[in-house]
Amino acid sequence: MPDEITITPKSESTNATPENQTVSLGRTQLINLCAAGLGVSFFLPWAQFLGGNVSGFDLQKSGGEQRLLWLIPIFCAITIFAGVTKRNQQIAGQLTGALPFVVGVYWYHRIGSDLTHILAYGAYLSLIFGAALFVLPRKTK
């Protein structure tokens, strides 16, 4: 009588259920959507003064330290790339989310309380997407 050997593959994770994978995939897509929204808002009007609108793209053209504004779309691309390649988005997402707030604090320090009077919808969208990107990549318990 021949002996039969049965080989069963061991699962990679004991907690890997289809529901957990769906939640993880949904969170990754939401993070990617917020990063794309932040990248688009970089080109939307951030401020209104002297009858004109100025975007993040326009501000970086002035040169000097304003060129650091390019970090926003660069980190947005890094966050989306991490999500598409199924890598951990936590650090990239949180850094990307913090950037609009860093820019806001910098300009508040330079301009003062008048900053809130000249902000346009692109700046507010940047802050909303930034806050979402700062919170969403955190691990849930």
Side-chain angles (χ1 to χ4, degrees):
M1 197 159 81
D3 291 329
E4 291 184 21
I5 298 175
T6 305
I7 300 175
T8 58
K10 184 177 180 181
S11 68
E12 293 180 15
S13 173
T14 58
N15 295 333
T17 62
E19 293 98 20
N20 288 344
Q21 291 173 355
T22 303
V23 170
S24 177
L25 181 62
R27 179 171 286 191
T28 299
Q29 290 174 344
L30 190 57
I31 292 169
N32 286 346
L33 181 66
C34 288
L38 180 58
V40 168
S41 67
F42 177 74
F43 298 98
L44 296 176
W46 278 9
Q48 299 174 347
F49 55 90
L50 300 176
N53 293 327
V54 179
S55 68
F57 181 74
D58 296 331
L59 286 171
Q60 66 79 30
K61 287 180 183 177
S62 65
E65 59 204 22
Q66 304 308 321
R67 293 217 184 263
L68 291 176
L69 289 173
W70 274 114
L71 290 175
I72 292 174
I74 289 170
F75 271 85
C76 288
I78 290 170
T79 301
I80 292 170
F81 180 76
V84 169
T85 58
K86 302 203 180 357
R87 289 191 164 81
N88 190 354
Q89 290 179 306
Q90 184 174 4
I91 295 172
Q94 288 183 327
L95 285 174
T96 304
L99 287 173
F101 292 97
V102 170
V103 170
V105 167
Y106 171 78
W107 280 106
Y108 186 79
H109 178 69
R110 301 257 327 215
I111 296 174
S113 63
D114 292 336
L115 177 67
T116 58
H117 300 293
I118 64 170
L119 289 181
Y121 66 94
Y124 292 115
L125 283 174
S126 296
L127 292 172
I128 291 168
F129 285 126
L133 280 169
F134 193 75
V135 172
L136 282 174
R138 293 181 182 214
K139 300 261 187 209
T140 57
K141 292 183 180 181

